[in-house]
Amino acid sequence: QVQLVESGGGSVQAGGSLRLSCTVTGYVLNTYCMAWFRQAAGKSREWVSYIRPDGATNTKYSVKGRFTISKDNAKNTLYLQINTLKPEDTAMYYCAAVFGRACFTSPGDYKSWGQGTQVTVSS
């Protein structure tokens, strides 16, 4: 049974930082493409970043430089470091997984999802 559990969200002031974690059970992390998505209230879910099994990454252009995806295969954990937080970063953040080397930016291409962790940024 594949399980993804996010943590690390919270309420922070603009300019602050957070590190989100996604702990994975039920499969080996380095055989899957892992991604972070976010969904603000009233908006559709949007892709933020992904990391391939070989460690190659890609990040949404509008957050590049502030968001950094990484993983620890030994701990089977995915991370998202978010710096210089802005109010527009307020959203529920989800991790997602799909088996294989290919990664995608569409939510429909991912088979497993966590329950999400809320990030709220105040100005």
Side-chain angles (χ1 to χ4, degrees), residues 60-75:
K60 183 180 177 71
Y61 180 80
S62 62
V63 301
K64 195 171 289 188
R66 297 193 299 118
F67 287 37
T68 304
I69 191 171
S70 64
K71 62 178 178 173
D72 186 330
N73 288 332
K75 295 182 179 180

Side-chain angles (χ1 to χ4, degrees), residues 6-42:
E6 300 96 334
S7 61
S11 296
V12 298
Q13 288 194 324
S17 298
L18 283 173
R19 188 175 80 157
L20 309 183
S21 299
C22 174
T23 301
V24 176
T25 56
Y27 64 87
V28 179
L29 193 62
N30 63 5
T31 60
Y32 279 69
C33 169
M34 301 295 300
W36 286 99
F37 288 77
R38 66 183 181 183
Q39 188 167 16

Side-chain angles (χ1 to χ4, degrees), residues 29-110:
L29 193 62
N30 63 5
T31 60
Y32 279 69
C33 169
M34 301 295 300
W36 286 99
F37 288 77
R38 66 183 181 183
Q39 188 167 16
K43 296 188 177 181
S44 58
R45 193 167 296 189
E46 67 170 355
W47 168 74
V48 172
S49 189
Y50 62 61
I51 185 165
R52 292 192 170 95
D54 64 2
T57 65
N58 193 15
T59 300
K60 183 180 177 71
Y61 180 80
S62 62
V63 301
K64 195 171 289 188
R66 297 193 299 118
F67 287 37
T68 304
I69 191 171
S70 64
K71 62 178 178 173
D72 186 330
N73 288 332
K75 295 182 179 180
N76 239 30
T77 301
L78 176 74
Y79 302 101
L80 184 69
Q81 178 69 40
I82 310 175
N83 298 326
T84 319
L85 277 155
K86 302 177 180 181
E88 53 262 42
D89 295 322
T90 295
M92 185 73 80
Y93 284 72
Y94 298 90
C95 65
V98 61
F99 179 77
R101 290 177 290 180
C103 283
F104 312 95
T105 60
S106 172
D109 290 315
Y110 289 83

